[in-house]
Structures are given as C-alpha cells and as structure tokens.
Amino acid sequence: MAATFRRRLQRGAASTAVAALVLAALTASQAPGATEAAAARKQPPPPPADTPIDGGTTYYTDLPPLNSPVPPRGSHGTGHHSGSAAGPTEAGLPATVLAAYKKAESAIDASDPGCRLPWQLLAGIGKVESGQARGGAVDAEGTTLQPILGPQLDGHGFARIDDTDGGRYDGDLTHDRAVGPMQFIPSTWSQGGPDHTGWGADGNGDGKKDPNNVFDAALAAGHYLCAGGRDLSDQNDLDHAILGYNNSEDYLRTVLSWYAFYRHGTHEIPDGRGVLPEHRREAHKAGGAGSEGRGSGGAPDQHRRPGGSDTGKPGEPGKGQHHPGTPGGTAPAPGGGTPTPKPTPKPPAEPRLTTLTRVGDEDLTATAGSEFTASPKVRAEDAAGKPVAGAPVRFTLPASAGARFPGNRTAVTVTTDKAGLATAPALRAGDRPGAFTVRATAVGRSAPAVAFGATVKARPAPKADKLARTSDKELTATAGQPFAEDAVEIKATYRGKLAAGVPVTATMVTDDPDHPVENDKGPYFKAPEATGEAQDDPVRTLTGLTTDARGLLKLPKIYTDTHVGTFLLRLTTADGAVLTVKLKVAAPAGS
C-alpha cells in the first residue's frame, strides 16, 4: 500500500513538472523577436468590466466541518494560534498564506478603514479558489512553487476571453485562464479595475505585481472586495463583493460558510501541510460567465502535491474525510455509521429594529475644508421604545456635496452600541460652501430614514494689515518699453506673519495725495486673457490678484506709453493695507 501511494506521488510530481516545463518554455519564447511578433498581432479588447474576477470558472465546493473549531488533539505545536481557539485539521492555515491574508487586512485597514475587511474573508475565498494555494505550496516570498491555473476561458461553460497577456501569466497564447492563489484572470489583473490600470498589487514590497504570489494576490483581492466604497460589515455589500468574484449563489454560500468557520478560530500550520479540497464545481454547459454552478461532486483536483492529503495527514487517506457532495454536504456519523445530512445553519437572530430616532436637534455646520463640529447620531429602538444593540445603520452623503467620511467615502455603516446609539465617524466639509442632507437608514429594515441638514460656510477671507516691496531697487523704464519682467514683487503680512491668499488690487493713480484716482496715461497693464478683453488695450486697474502660500505676489508685466515722468502704482487690500510704488519713465536716448 505504501509503495502504491509513493508511486502515485511520483507520477503526480512528474506530471506537474512537465506542466511547469511547458509554462517555462512558453514564457521563454517571449524573446525579443517573439515579443515583437506578439506586439504586431492585434490584441483583443479586455473583457467587460462586470466579468467575474475568476472568469466564472470552477471552484472547490467542499464545505467546512460540522463541528466548530476547537483546540486540536495531538497538536505538534508548530503554529501560532489565532485567539484562544485553534481548530480541527481544516482550521489549519499554512503559515505564509495566513501571513499574506493578515498583511492584506492590515494594509487595507490603514488605507481604507471604512471597508472593515476581515482577513478571514480572504481565507474563505482562498480556500474555495485554490485550496489555500494548494495547501500552502509556496516559497518563502509567497510565490507558488508551481503554477495554479484554471480552465481555458474559451466560452464553453465559462466566460470567453481571448488571450490578453501573450501568455505572460497563464502560458496560454489563445485564451486567458485564471491564475494563482486567488485565481485572477490576466485581463483583470493588468487591465481591470475602475481606472483600467488593473487590480494587480504589490503585497510583499518586492516591486512586482505577480498574481502567482499570495501576498500580491491577497492584497489585490482585498482592494477589489472594498471597491466602490463597500463596507464589508454590511451584509449587502459583503454579498455583492463575493458575487463579483464569481456570480453564483452556490459560490456565495460556500465562501460565506468558510468565512464563518474561520472566524470561530484558526491555527497556523507549516507550509505545504494544508488540507487539499477535492470536489469542484463542474462547468455549467449551457451557461457562460457567471452561470450558476450546482456544487457537484466533480472529479478530484489532479494537481495534488506531496505534503498535503485529503485529511491533512500525509499517508493516511480517508480518515476524518468531509463529504460535501452537494450543497449542505454530509458529515460522518460517530463510529463510522451512515452519514447524517448536515443541517443548514440558521442565521443569528437579528434585532427587531422598528424606529430610528435622531439624537440632537441642531443642524450640522462646518467651515469649508474643515471637520464638522458634531457627527450625525441616531438611536435604534424596537416597537416598545427600547434600545436595539448590534443593528447596522448606514450614513449616506450625496456625492455632489463635497463632504466625505474618513477614507474619502460617501457612505459608512455603523453598528449600534448597548444604548442603541450609532454615531457616524468624523465628517469633513468640502472646499465649497453650500447645504446638503445626510441620511441615516437601518440596513435591512423598513424603518423610516432620518435626515440631517448640513451647512458648509465659506472660509473667512484672509487678512493683511501691511504690504511691502521685497526689494528697494528703483523701478525705471524707457518710454515705449516695458519694465523688467516681474519688476514689482510685494509681500503681505497680518500682525507680523506672512498672509497667504490675500486679495490685492493694483491701480495706476494720479499723484494727488488727497484724492488719488485712476490715471489715464503713463504705465499700464494688459488685460488678462481670462477677461476676454482686447490684449493690447491698456488696463490701469487689476483685480483678482492674490498672494501665494508664502504671502508673496509678483505683479504682471508693466508697459509704458510715450509719456515720461514719475508715476504712481497703488496696491490695496480689503482690510485697508496700502502700498504706493513709484514708477519712473525716462525719454528714449537722443530724443
């Protein structure tokens, strides 16, 4: 028996090695000449944006054990436990794969905290898509030891996607295939996403985006699941995120089953020792991308690797096997008797929320660009007026308002506390003044929404109580010729500090000290292009000038006519600061 088992492993390893050599040959063929030839071919367009992440391909339909994770008996003590619980064999996650999921959660929590991505969700998807990278068959950097490829996406049971990567990722020069631990199709990895730059990510900081690397793939999957302002603590957002990976209700139920299982506890195991799932969804012959699979007890995965087995115990096939031949699966009866049907888990009882009540009567106010002084708050109550704890409440902003919650989000979901209160996170106003409405709704309940009026006030105009030139150099020009470029530069201060953003008016005035009025001769400006006025017409009053971030202002070029003498330029601010500058115009030489 042992010899037979060993020969099977050798044949499997040989088959896998041949597959790896074929892929290597295809990759090596991308020499300069081959690359140029490929470039000459007309590349097919990427698939539609709503194509599932994995192309709607097969996935593992094995379901988690009926029993919840508990500390395993006979544990080798090589892993770190997550929380106080460890788990049965199926709760063991390969060390590098587990590290990749947790690192992705940490990165996205820092960049998009409102998404609330749990690493256990990545583990659930990784289990269903690739059996946790085939039981953790990865190197120290997290790259799979051998390619993990889905079936050819030729339209027979799955999406039809002609080759988009020249075989770079999947080694297929005719059609795309799902690639790597999280089964991204090449076109989605490199061309998908909201900005068409692809969902690909660099999760291990090596400067590369490789779908065959579990750190890169996990981070990319996390970004996709959080896209569109999703809040994964909201069941509706969670369901839509998973269905975007593979648009099948069976797929959704399978992922959610593993997600719930892993949340009860996991433990770390050595790489390569993970339990390899067996049952795959077969192609839905009559359907295309996104057709719903039926969780058949399909053929076992032919890419088994040494180090993993059906039970997680190499050399002991058949013991403790889980048999989920159909959704819901079965679990072996104690003592090896007739299996009993696995009951469908009942959803937890939800709070009976009937009413949302606004807390606080005053409307929300803020100055443009700053945080609101208070946040929207509601109280969830049942029919008897008692507080309802643990109820999700969603706060939504109109996109046109300019205001945003943390993470540049227009919607967030908050769970009510023991007192039934849900308070939105800090709300920051946009740059423009105006009014809008914040709405609070009970997720999954028909309770009337609560509206909050919000007003954004304009920023107070910057002040300046003094204007001064930055140079004491005499300003001179020859009649008919302009003054030097940027000849006049001033600085504005308020109470001794530089004043940025201060509006300044520049006027060429007469020399009457008591009643200076705009001059009709001498130095002048030209009309700015934005005004639409003729560019050669003299302009002797300029408005709309503003000091920069350092409190400085360089005036536009100053021109002269045929008049000579000393002329005055008067600079003023709304706060009464005044600066008068002398401009001397000399006659041309020899006149």
Side-chain angles (χ1 to χ4, degrees), residues 52-118:
I53 288 291
D54 65 4
T57 61
T58 58
Y59 54 85
Y60 290 106
T61 59
D62 296 29
L63 294 174
L66 184 61
N67 57 309
S68 297
V70 294
R73 297 179 180 178
S75 172
H76 297 293
T78 58
H80 298 287
H81 297 293
S82 174
S84 59
T89 304
E90 290 84 354
L93 292 175
T96 302
V97 177
L98 177 59
Y101 296 152
K102 291 186 175 182
K103 187 172 183 180
E105 177 196 58
S106 178
I108 291 178
D109 185 60
S111 63
D112 188 5
C115 175
R116 297 176 174 83
L117 170 72

Side-chain angles (χ1 to χ4, degrees), residues 284-307:
H284 189 54
K285 303 302 182 183
S291 60
E292 182 176 329
R294 293 299 173 191
S296 69
D301 180 20
Q302 298 301 316
H303 301 284
R304 295 296 174 87
R305 296 184 47 78

Side-chain angles (χ1 to χ4, degrees), residues 96 133 136-146 181 204 206 208 210-216:
T96 302
V138 297
D139 62 19
E141 284 68 42
T143 302
T144 58
L145 299 178
Q146 295 182 6
N204 60 355
D206 64 356
K208 297 183 294 184
D210 182 4
N212 296 294
N213 183 279
V214 69
F215 288 94
D216 295 358

Side-chain angles (χ1 to χ4, degrees), residues 17-44:
V18 170
L21 289 173
V22 171
L23 179 65
L26 288 170
T27 304
S29 69
Q30 303 303 309
T35 302
E36 293 171 3
R41 296 195 305 268
K42 183 179 179 181
Q43 293 296 321

Side-chain angles (χ1 to χ4, degrees), residues 393-419:
V393 176
R394 194 167 183 84
F395 295 89
T396 307
L397 309 170
S400 60
R404 293 292 184 270
F405 292 116
N408 200 35
R409 297 166 65 87
T410 57
V412 294
T413 301
V414 179
T415 303
T416 56
D417 60 18
K418 293 181 179 179

Side-chain angles (χ1 to χ4, degrees), residues 463-532:
K463 296 182 178 181
D465 54 16
K466 185 178 180 180
L467 298 175
R469 284 187 63 199
T470 58
S471 171
D472 56 3
K473 183 178 179 180
E474 186 178 65
L475 299 171
T476 62
T478 301
Q481 300 295 322
F483 284 81
E485 193 82 29
D486 299 331
V488 181
E489 181 183 62
I490 65 170
K491 67 176 179 179
T493 57
Y494 182 70
R495 296 180 180 178
K497 296 182 178 180
L498 293 175
V502 175
V504 177
T505 299
T507 307
M508 301 295 179
V509 296
T510 62
D511 58 0
D512 185 341
D514 297 323
H515 302 286
V517 295
E518 183 179 279
N519 210 336
D520 60 357
K521 60 184 177 181
Y524 63 91
F525 303 103
K526 287 187 177 180
E529 294 182 5
T531 63

Side-chain angles (χ1 to χ4, degrees), residues 243-415:
L243 288 171
Y245 227 102
N246 190 310
N247 191 19
S248 159
E249 290 296 323
D250 285 345
Y251 179 89
L252 173 64
R253 286 192 291 270
T254 305
V255 170
L256 288 177
S257 295
W258 283 106
Y259 170 46
F261 177 78
Y262 288 137
R263 291 191 70 178
H264 279 89
T266 60
H267 62 281
E268 179 183 301
I269 60 174
D271 290 342
R273 299 290 182 87
V275 176
L276 293 177
E278 180 176 78
H279 300 88
R280 273 190 177 274
R281 185 201 76 163
E282 293 180 334
H284 189 54
K285 303 302 182 183
S291 60
E292 182 176 329
R294 293 299 173 191
S296 69
D301 180 20
Q302 298 301 316
H303 301 284
R304 295 296 174 87
R305 296 184 47 78
S309 72
D310 294 347
T311 65
K313 297 180 181 181
E316 296 183 23
K319 292 185 179 181
Q321 181 77 5
H322 175 53
H323 302 278
T326 58
T330 59
T338 302
T340 56
K342 179 177 178 179
T344 302
K346 295 181 179 180
E350 297 181 355
R352 296 182 179 180
L353 187 156
T354 60
T355 306
L356 285 182
T357 304
R358 174 175 173 163
V359 177
D361 296 328
E362 296 183 3
D363 283 347
L364 310 172
T365 58
T367 301
S370 65
E371 287 189 359
F372 281 80
T373 55
S375 294
K377 180 186 294 188
V378 295
R379 173 185 165 96
E381 299 175 344
D382 61 15
K386 295 182 179 180
V388 175
V393 176
R394 194 167 183 84
F395 295 89
T396 307
L397 309 170
S400 60
R404 293 292 184 270
F405 292 116
N408 200 35
R409 297 166 65 87
T410 57
V412 294
T413 301
V414 179
T415 303

